[in-house]
Amino acid sequence: MARSLYEWLWQHEFWLPPGITWEDMQESEDIHYPQPRDLLLSIPFALILVVIRCTFERAIALPLSSRLGVKDKQRPKAQPNPLLETFYSARCKNPEEGELISLAKQCDLPVRKVERWFRRRRNADRPSLSKKFCEACWRFTFYIIAFFTGLAVLYDKPWFWDHRECWTGYPQQPLQPSLFWYYMLELSFYWSLVFTLPFDVKRKDFKEQIVHHAATIFLIGFSYCANYIRIGTLVLVIHDASDCFLEPTKIFNYMKWKKTCDSLFMIFSAVFLISRLVVYPYTVLYNTYYYSMEIFQPFFGYYFVNALLIILQLLHIFWSCLIIHMVYKFILQGTMEKDMRSDTEESDKDEEREKVQEKEKNGITYFSNVTSNNYIQRNGAEPLNNRTHLTNGHVKER
């Protein structure tokens, strides 16, 4: 059964244009074509990147965050409560009002204290500022290396300047060593992001990030097997171009360098919108959808790779809407709004408001006591605590 599935999966009709079979893709001493088994190398390479990342964050990024003044905010801890902890872990992290009332009765606590407990418990699970800083430093380092590696690899390639060259001789396009290692570098990085996904900073577009990583891995893997490597290298370079500006924007935001952060974000926005909404559709989508038809007739691989590329473009449009909204706010307000994808702490305003209310309440009580005593003394009388009342209404001195 496994053999039948293997033979069905690798039918040349799925992967190659009409009239081309796997026999036409046989390697020789001088000519090498992409082999699907090569993709297995990306798994150990991804694990190596995870180790490098952990070492980089601990040895370089974390000490750097301290030197640059990135300090973690002191968060009030939730008091140990087995009942609430069980509910938090097994049921819900943000209970409704009815559930809060029920839990308050079970714990014999005021509803406000139960609500505060959940708020502090949720904040405890949120990543610290230093963790965000370390993650941004690692991604910035990789994107810079990957982007300039891509430029160095593609600078002398004809399809980098003339996009029709992506299809010259397709699919019998020999695989060059530089293209192989560039592909392995990018594929291994995205696998490493999948491996560390449960531990990375979770933002509001977490689901879109999962779709993006899955589509990217499928796209890189399929383009390698179907020898869409030329068009794949263009996709990778275009994506890395804007990411090189996004991560330093985050870094300066964590450092509280407001003006530098705002300036970098405007640069990132321009690069992102141009590269993802202009360059990508023309260089990649139009090229793959129309130019390729000058060389071969449509087949399964043609439709599949275009579907993956369109999914990426839909994600580009989603993120572009968020960016345009932030830029619009910046133009109106003159200051950059916080990242709409970020999951911010919720305890600050609520708990500070409670503290202010308690202080005001205590202050009013103290003020009323003081003023009442002063009023009595100003009228020539002694404080009430020095006098006692008799049953007939007269006052007796102590």
Side-chain angles (χ1 to χ4, degrees):
M1 181 177 178
R3 183 176 180 81
S4 300
L5 180 62
Y6 179 84
E7 292 178 352
W8 174 84
L9 178 62
W10 293 106
Q11 295 182 70
H12 59 81
E13 291 85 0
F14 290 165
W15 303 89
L16 302 174
I20 304 294
T21 64
W22 291 117
E23 286 73 18
D24 300 321
M25 303 291 293
Q26 294 296 324
E27 293 185 328
S28 63
E29 295 182 0
D30 301 328
I31 299 177
H32 298 279
Y33 295 113
Q35 299 297 324
R37 62 178 178 270
D38 297 339
L39 297 177
L40 297 176
L41 293 174
S42 63
I43 303 299
F45 288 163
L47 297 177
I48 293 174
L49 282 179
V50 172
V51 174
I52 294 175
R53 172 183 175 175
C54 293
T55 305
F56 173 86
E57 290 185 353
R58 292 185 180 183
I60 299 177
L62 191 58
L64 183 63
S65 67
S66 301
R67 292 187 178 184
L68 294 177
V70 179
K71 297 181 180 179
D72 294 332
K73 187 176 182 180
Q74 295 296 328
R75 299 168 177 168
K77 295 183 179 180
Q79 295 296 325
N81 190 310
L83 180 62
L84 297 181
E85 185 66 36
T86 301
F87 186 92
Y88 180 86
S89 302
R91 291 278 303 278
C92 176
K93 296 183 179 181
N94 195 0
E96 300 292 337
E97 183 177 358
E99 294 173 323
L100 288 173
I101 296 175
S102 175
L103 290 170
K105 292 180 179 179
Q106 296 178 44
C107 299
D108 194 22
L109 292 172
V111 177
R112 183 181 293 269
K113 286 190 176 182
V114 176
E115 186 179 5
R116 182 187 303 170
W117 187 94
F118 276 96
R119 191 165 58 240
R120 291 181 175 180
R121 185 64 181 84
R122 287 192 297 268
N123 286 337
D125 286 345
R126 289 188 170 90
S128 62
L129 199 61
S130 59
K131 177 178 174 60
K132 294 180 180 180
F133 180 89
C134 292
E135 180 179 315
C137 283
W138 163 249
R139 296 197 181 197
F140 172 64
T141 303
F142 177 84
Y143 288 134
I144 282 290
I145 294 174
F147 178 67
F148 285 101
T149 299
L151 291 181
V153 169
L154 297 177
Y155 181 78
D156 59 345
K157 303 300 186 293
W159 66 86
F160 186 68
W161 308 102
D162 184 2
H163 307 318
R164 290 177 183 267
E165 289 292 327
C166 290
W167 313 110
T168 301
Y170 180 84
Q172 295 168 312
Q173 297 172 338
L175 176 63
Q176 301 176 18
S178 59
L179 297 178
F180 168 79
W181 289 112
Y182 178 52
Y183 243 63
M184 286 297 108
L185 175 67
E186 294 279 1
L187 181 58
S188 301
F189 175 71
Y190 282 103
W191 271 122
S192 72
L193 292 183
V194 172
F195 295 157
T196 60
L197 205 56
F199 314 104
D200 288 342
V201 177
K202 292 182 177 60
R203 304 183 186 275
K204 293 180 181 179
D205 61 347
F206 180 71
K207 295 180 180 179
E208 289 79 7
Q209 287 285 352
I210 294 177
V211 174
H212 175 268
H213 295 343
T216 302
I217 290 173
F218 273 113
L219 182 58
I220 294 176
F222 184 84
S223 64
Y224 186 85
C225 295
N227 208 8
Y228 276 104
I229 289 181
R230 294 187 178 183
I231 198 68
T233 55
L234 297 179
V235 175
L236 295 173
V237 168
I238 291 172
H239 279 71
D240 291 339
S242 59
D243 291 333
C244 290
F245 293 97
L246 174 61
E247 301 306 326
T249 302
K250 297 178 184 178
I251 291 173
F252 285 109
N253 180 43
Y254 303 145
M255 293 168 54
K256 310 298 183 184
W257 289 25
K258 190 64 177 174
K259 292 184 179 180
T260 306
C261 174
D262 292 348
S263 301
L264 276 175
F265 184 82
M266 296 303 294
I267 297 174
F268 159 75
S269 301
V271 174
F272 185 95
L273 296 176
I274 293 173
S275 62
R276 305 292 180 93
L277 299 184
V278 180
V279 178
Y280 178 84
Y282 173 73
T283 303
V284 176
L285 290 181
Y286 187 82
N287 186 12
T288 307
Y289 191 80
Y290 288 104
Y291 288 167
S292 60
M293 292 296 93
E294 298 177 358
I295 307 299
F296 54 80
Q297 296 299 315
F299 65 106
F300 174 80
Y302 165 82
Y303 294 112
F304 187 72
V305 75
N306 275 284
L308 293 176
L309 293 174
I310 290 174
I311 291 175
L312 286 183
Q313 182 61 19
L314 293 177
L315 292 173
H316 296 165
I317 295 174
F318 169 78
W319 285 315
S320 296
C321 292
L322 297 181
I323 293 172
I324 292 173
H325 179 77
M326 293 178 69
V327 172
Y328 176 74
K329 290 287 186 180
F330 176 76
I331 295 174
L332 290 182
Q333 300 176 0
T335 182
M336 188 60 62
E337 188 185 60
K338 66 179 180 65
D339 190 353
M340 296 174 62
R341 304 177 305 138
S342 298
D343 192 11
T344 55
E345 294 188 24
E346 53 189 310
S347 64
D348 297 338
K349 293 182 179 179
D350 298 328
E351 292 195 11
E352 286 178 6
R353 189 184 301 115
E354 291 175 5
K355 291 179 181 178
V356 170
Q357 290 175 353
E358 291 178 2
K359 289 181 180 179
E360 290 177 349
K361 191 179 298 183
N362 295 335
I364 292 173
T365 304
Y366 175 77
F367 178 76
S368 61
N369 291 336
V370 172
T371 53
S372 61
N373 290 336
N374 289 340
Y375 175 79
I376 294 172
Q377 292 176 1
R378 280 198 303 269
N379 286 274
E382 294 184 3
L384 293 176
N385 56 4
N386 292 328
R387 300 183 295 169
T388 57
H389 291 269
L390 300 178
T391 55
N392 58 4
H394 296 282
V395 177
K396 178 183 179 181
E397 300 295 334
R398 289 183 179 175

